[in-house]
Amino acid sequence: MELKYRALEGMHDVLPEQSHLWQYVESRWREHCRRYGYREIRTPILETAELFERSVGETSDIVSKEMYVFQRGEERYAMKPEGTAPVVRAYLEHGLYGAGGVHKLYYITPFFRGERPQRGRYRQAHQFGAEIIGAAHPLADAELLAMVMDFFLTLGLTPDTLELRLNTIGCPECRPAYREAVRNFGRENYTQLCKNCQARLERNPLRILDCKECADITHSAPPIDPYLCDACRTHFENLQNLLKTLEVTYVRDVRLVRGLDYYTRTTFEVIAEQGLGAQNALCGGGRYDGLVAELGGPPTPALGVGIGVERTLLTLQAMQAPLPEPRPIDAYVVAFGEAARPVALKLAQQLRAAQLAAELDLEARSPKAQMRLANRTGARYAILIGDAELQQQTATIKDLQTHEQTVLSQAELSEWIKNRL
RNA sequence: GGGAUCGUAGCUCAGUCGGUCAGAGCGCCUGACUGUGGCUCAGGAGGUCGUGGGUUCGAGUCCCAUCGGUCCCCCCA
């Protein structure tokens, strides 16, 4: 069959055979966030393009070449390419800062980036996000990191298959000096850098640190540590001590710079050892102490994380982590003969009203075909309605595992089944 | 943006040097069992071999183009 329409490149349907797994990880994420004191926030898919240009950064790959932007009238819109900026926008728009204190917000959202798709990377992907707004202390960083690792472990991933990579990239006070140092380093080795990095040197020199192509050269680039201001150094040391206390293991990755401009101080990623192919970052995040002010709010420290839903699922499957089976229905109502069909439908409704999952044939098929369907749905019981049952207002219940049959009145059907499930 | 690779029934695939090559398994439908599933057996439906050109007496098989999938670089979730 020739397909006239198909899903766009990099966009995928989630079919029933997979959707129960999505529901599973989503519900685990919600429960996990609840335990850590987060509340859900939902923001629109579309925002003004400027929001992301201001926050993620004009020179970032995301904004400069991956964002879906379109114009309608005077306004330029963007489909959200990440989750943090909209949350901060909403935080400001609704004056949440006025309520004081720390706001912990979580979300589940699609996001859009016009990249060439590959394993674990799609044009529409989904993200579990968590943001802590209003907390400057490294306690917040430590809790966030512990929460993220805790999430992966409770899903059944093991510590030896995950790697938490941690870095600090300083703040507006100390980073400029470091940026200059990296830029100078780049200039000294200019001819050995790839074209991309030669261009980055002027716009965003830190990005040369996470270029794989230039890894051999940038390996000997100056580390940030001597450049950190006292506050940043203390913050980072404090965080590392807290992680030790919590027994959260991590590796320092001095090259972890990240591609979004709003990050300050703490940056991190969690890498999966297997299952993802080349795109092996399960999640990424960090602190963005300047973002709230950048978007027009009061100076407010904040931090957050984005976890790739597709990547999480791919990893769980690759690692053979325990995953739930789809829930079968409880009963399949089978009608023998035309006269029984309306009664079968009515009985199915009766079962559903009793919170049971019931199905019946909607094509008026033969008894044999109905039994086949009953078997295929995985129903525990088949409810058989024929002439005899019609006469006596009864139903024959067949246990499809044991083949046992029981006859009882239609009125007590639901109770009987509920008592046995 | 650059590159690799693949494209035969709903699904997974076989098709050897171009000449019954339009196939298998699974799935689906029907029947054996006219009020009873899973197992077995017997039938059946379903494909212009991604599309368009070309070479040839003849192409799923060779060549070119094109469209689509997957994966990789880049970058990121």
Side-chain angles (χ1 to χ4, degrees):
Chain A
M1 180 173 50
E2 196 178 325
L3 292 174
K4 193 166 181 185
Y5 301 105
R6 52 172 68 239
L8 295 175
E9 182 176 14
M11 314 241 172
H12 294 283
D13 303 307
V14 178
L15 300 177
E17 64 182 46
Q18 284 278 311
S19 58
H20 72 283
L21 299 178
W22 283 69
Q23 292 170 3
Y24 163 69
V25 293
E26 285 165 2
S27 65
R28 294 299 289 264
W29 174 247
R30 292 182 189 286
E31 171 57 20
H32 196 73
C33 288
R34 192 192 67 79
R35 273 195 285 160
Y36 279 83
Y38 288 77
R39 293 193 298 163
E40 186 181 14
I41 183 167
R42 305 189 188 197
T43 68
I45 302 268
L46 294 181
E47 298 279 353
T48 171
E50 196 184 329
L51 173 66
F52 300 106
E53 290 160 356
R54 272 285 161 73
S55 56
V56 177
E58 302 259 15
T59 64
S60 68
D61 285 5
I62 289 174
V63 168
S64 65
K65 53 187 194 191
E66 294 167 4
M67 195 158 72
Y68 284 95
V69 178
F70 63 95
Q71 187 128 15
R72 184 178 164 88
E74 295 295 295
E75 189 67 79
R76 286 172 59 249
Y77 299 95
M79 299 178 70
K80 63 164 96 164
E82 60 101 37
T84 299
V87 169
V88 172
R89 192 224 81 227
Y91 171 86
L92 291 174
E93 184 167 340
H94 303 286
L96 299 186
Y97 52 87
V102 174
H103 289 263
K104 298 170 86 173
L105 302 166
Y106 85 86
Y107 52 89
I108 300 175
T109 184
F111 65 98
F112 304 85
R113 294 182 194 174
E115 305 179 271
R116 188 149 303 179
Q118 67 193 72
R119 183 173 182 79
R121 191 176 72 185
Y122 313 104
R123 290 187 171 181
Q124 175 176 341
H126 301 263
Q127 192 171 77
F128 294 147
E131 315 285 351
I132 304 175
I133 305 178
H137 198 278
L139 280 167
D141 306 52
E143 189 193 71
L144 182 69
L145 290 171
M147 176 215 191
V148 166
M149 296 311 286
D150 186 15
F151 179 62
F152 291 129
L153 296 179
T154 59
L155 284 176
L157 297 179
T158 52
D160 56 301
T161 63
L162 299 171
E163 185 173 286
L164 171 60
R165 294 181 181 173
L166 182 65
N167 194 25
T168 179
I169 57 171
C171 66
E173 194 146 319
C174 54
R175 189 161 30 179
Y178 179 58
R179 180 184 286 134
E180 275 316 300
V182 172
R183 182 175 280 156
N184 287 335
F185 170 86
R187 282 176 179 152
E188 286 161 22
N189 299 276
Y190 191 80
T191 54
Q192 297 176 68
L193 293 175
C194 71
K195 263 193 157 177
N196 245 330
C197 285
Q198 291 180 347
R200 282 175 180 139
L201 225 43
E202 298 313 312
R203 301 177 136 209
N204 198 346
L206 292 189
R207 298 304 308 285
I208 72 170
L209 294 177
D210 64 8
C211 174
K212 287 169 192 161
E213 207 172 326
C214 300
D216 288 345
I217 298 106
T218 56
H219 191 72
S220 49
I224 193 172
D225 297 47
Y227 292 86
L228 291 175
C229 62
D230 287 347
C232 283
R233 182 183 308 112
T234 305
H235 185 93
F236 194 50
E237 287 172 356
N238 213 331
L239 169 58
Q240 294 181 82
N241 286 330
L242 287 166
L243 291 177
K244 285 191 184 80
T245 302
L246 293 172
E247 296 179 28
V248 172
T249 54
Y250 63 92
V251 298
R252 173 74 192 278
D253 181 355
V254 295
R255 315 161 64 78
L256 183 57
V257 170
R258 308 204 54 78
L260 291 75
D261 287 358
Y262 53 62
Y263 284 116
T264 56
R265 291 190 174 168
T266 312
T267 59
F268 64 90
E269 281 181 354
V270 176
I271 304 298
E273 307 274 301
Q274 291 174 47
L276 287 181
Q279 309 304 314
N280 63 351
L282 272 176
C283 77
R287 192 166 261 287
Y288 48 92
D289 290 338
L291 182 57
V292 177
E294 174 70 29
L295 294 182
T300 308
L303 64 161
V305 63
I307 300 173
V309 178
E310 286 85 351
R311 291 183 183 184
T312 299
L313 281 168
L314 284 169
T315 304
L316 292 177
Q317 287 169 327
M319 302 310 297
Q320 317 222 320
L323 292 170
E325 294 295 319
R327 281 184 66 186
I329 60 167
D330 302 313
Y332 196 100
V333 188
V334 175
F336 290 91
E338 292 309 311
R341 294 194 197 279
V343 179
L345 177 56
K346 197 176 170 198
L347 282 177
Q349 289 297 86
Q350 182 183 313
L351 293 167
R352 291 159 178 161
Q355 316 297 319
L356 292 166
E359 256 205 279
L360 76 162
D361 156 53
L362 300 177
E363 296 175 281
R365 304 184 62 178
S366 70
K368 184 203 212 39
Q370 291 181 61
M371 287 302 293
R372 244 199 320 267
L373 291 171
N375 191 57
R376 201 187 309 150
T377 58
R380 175 69 192 281
Y381 296 105
I383 314 299
L384 314 182
I385 307 298
D387 291 339
E389 287 85 354
L390 286 179
Q391 293 267 313
Q392 295 154 41
Q393 303 264 306
T394 57
T396 299
I397 301 185
K398 176 164 189 171
D399 185 321
L400 290 172
Q401 287 166 23
T402 65
H403 312 148
E404 274 179 90
Q405 294 199 177
T406 311
V407 179
L408 70 168
S409 81
Q410 291 175 9
E412 48 189 356
L413 190 57
S414 304
E415 269 313 298
W416 189 91
I417 294 177
K418 283 183 98 165
N419 288 337
R420 270 148 222 273
L421 287 176

